[in-house]
Amino acid sequence: MTRFRLGLVGAGRMGQVHVRAAAESSLVEIAAVADPIAASRLNLAGNGIKTYETAGDMIEAGEVDGVLIATPSNTHVDTVADIAARGLPILCEKPCGVTAEEARKAADVAERYKVHLQIGYWRRFVPELKQLRDDIRAGLLGNLYLVSCFQWDEAPPANSFRATGGGAFIDMGVHEFDQMRWLTGQEPTNFRVATSKTTFAGAVKGDPDAVQLLCDLSDGSSGLVSLGRRFPPGDACWTQVFGTSGFAEARFFWPPDGEAVFLNALQAQLEDFVQAARGGAPRGATASDAVAALTIAEAATELLSRDLNKAEGNNVR
């Protein structure tokens, strides 16, 4: 079968990771890249990939079968709309906008033009998490008490990013919210937030180093999302599930093996997208899943903002 020719919009860090992930696939290739920054294009031109300044130029060349969007989150909706109007299937990096309303707009425009839109929540393609999901759905852990999802980074990003990235619940938490919904088939509600005052490299207004979200799940169990900016062992993600018949822990992204897990999951996600674009049944996240994750992230961020403002007011007094 001919390899699916994927056009990449956005040649930054995440875009280049996707190029690496696709390199080992027999189903899909990154055939072209569009990025307005010449240096970014130059980094990939050496790989034999055709480069363009704009997505429009890339598509008009007529050499791509679908598009992967890896641009900054605040450009996702406009980019989805541009590609959808040209009739090509789209794999958009998470979170597909920075608000639930933006994700809804992306969903609406994809529906209007009848194109497949998939969202890049790659954890759905991690074998360890897929097995855990199957075990939960099969009742092997019994009725659930608690599902805990952790994402802790080795070191905080630049303060300039933290000041403008929307905070941990938007920047990091959407992965955990999608993962919790996907693993359990339950909807989180009744959110409560706790923060730590501990800092590693100095406090950043509106973005504590560690935040926790506790919620109810629709089956009567509880959910916990734990996000941290400083984890000395290295970037790590793991989940724990407590049930009446068992306990499971999946350290699915754990140093020093996290990168290999990440690349393998991205490759599986790309190949699933290709199958869906060719008419197969999709297994990846939908635009509706993106809306759900961002809705939770917005609610959590609002609660966090209230708590931080209240604490600041108390300190002033």
Side-chain angles (χ1 to χ4, degrees):
M1 182 180 294
T2 304
R3 293 172 82 190
F4 189 92
R5 302 170 304 170
L6 196 61
L8 171 64
V9 182
R13 182 189 65 83
M14 194 62 208
Q16 294 185 39
V17 172
H18 277 291
V19 171
R20 292 173 58 200
E24 301 300 320
S25 176
S26 61
L27 292 181
V28 60
E29 64 175 329
I30 305 295
V33 175
D35 194 291
I37 300 175
S40 298
R41 297 196 301 273
L42 187 61
N43 285 337
L44 295 176
N47 296 335
I49 300 173
K50 294 183 178 180
T51 61
Y52 300 87
E53 187 171 352
T54 70
D57 291 342
M58 179 181 71
I59 293 169
E60 287 170 10
E63 297 181 352
V64 298
D65 305 309
V67 173
L68 166 60
I69 296 172
T71 56
S73 299
N74 61 358
T75 68
H76 283 177
V77 177
D78 288 342
T79 309
V80 166
D82 182 34
I83 305 304
R86 300 169 188 268
L88 291 174
I90 301 164
L91 173 59
C92 180
E93 257 302 329
K94 67 85 184 170
C96 195
V98 293
T99 66
E101 181 57 32
E102 287 190 356
R104 288 190 191 94
K105 289 179 180 178
D108 289 344
V109 75
E111 176 62 28
R112 184 187 319 147
Y113 290 105
K114 305 300 179 186
V115 299
H116 175 61
L117 172 61
Q118 184 171 318
I119 311 305
Y121 282 109
W122 58 268
R123 296 185 190 178
R124 295 175 177 230
F125 299 92
V126 175
E128 192 173 0
L129 289 180
K130 289 165 66 178
Q131 184 61 58
L132 177 58
R133 181 177 187 264
D134 289 345
D135 291 348
I136 292 172
R137 300 299 181 94
L140 298 185
L141 300 179
N143 296 324
L144 301 185
Y145 288 118
L146 174 67
V147 178
S148 300
C149 300
F150 301 82
Q151 182 183 167
W152 282 68
D153 291 346
E154 181 177 7
N159 286 356
S160 57
F161 173 82
R162 294 177 68 183
T164 60
F169 287 126
I170 298 289
D171 172 36
M172 303 167 69
V174 287
H175 267 304
E176 314 311 316
F177 305 142
D178 180 73
Q179 178 181 300
M180 185 175 289
R181 296 179 64 250
W182 173 73
L183 283 175
T184 65
Q186 309 299 325
E187 294 298 332
T189 59
N190 191 24
F191 309 116
R192 291 88 82 193
V193 169
T195 64
S196 173
K197 294 182 180 179
T198 303
T199 62
F200 170 66
V204 175
K205 184 177 176 61
D207 186 36
D209 275 17
V211 293
Q212 327 300 323
L213 176 78
L214 184 65
C215 63
D216 298 339
L217 297 178
S218 51
D219 66 349
S221 59
S222 300
L224 171 68
V225 169
S226 177
L227 306 172
R229 298 292 196 184
R230 171 61 175 163
F231 191 62
D235 293 345
C237 304
W238 68 103
T239 188
Q240 298 173 332
V241 182
F242 301 76
T244 56
S245 299
F247 166 78
E249 179 178 58
R251 294 188 176 189
F252 62 92
F253 186 94
W254 197 262
D257 302 319
E259 183 178 74
V261 172
F262 187 32
L263 290 173
N264 288 337
L266 287 180
Q267 179 183 331
Q269 178 179 252
L270 288 172
E271 292 175 348
D272 175 76
F273 169 73
V274 170
Q275 300 286 13
R278 287 174 168 168
R283 295 184 296 126
T286 66
S288 294
D289 293 317
V291 171
L294 280 166
T295 298
I296 299 168
E298 287 182 304
T301 299
E302 183 176 351
L303 287 173
L304 174 62
S305 179
R306 289 178 188 174
D307 286 357
L308 293 176
N309 288 338
K310 182 179 179 180
E312 187 175 308
N314 290 339
N315 289 337
V316 170
R317 289 195 293 271

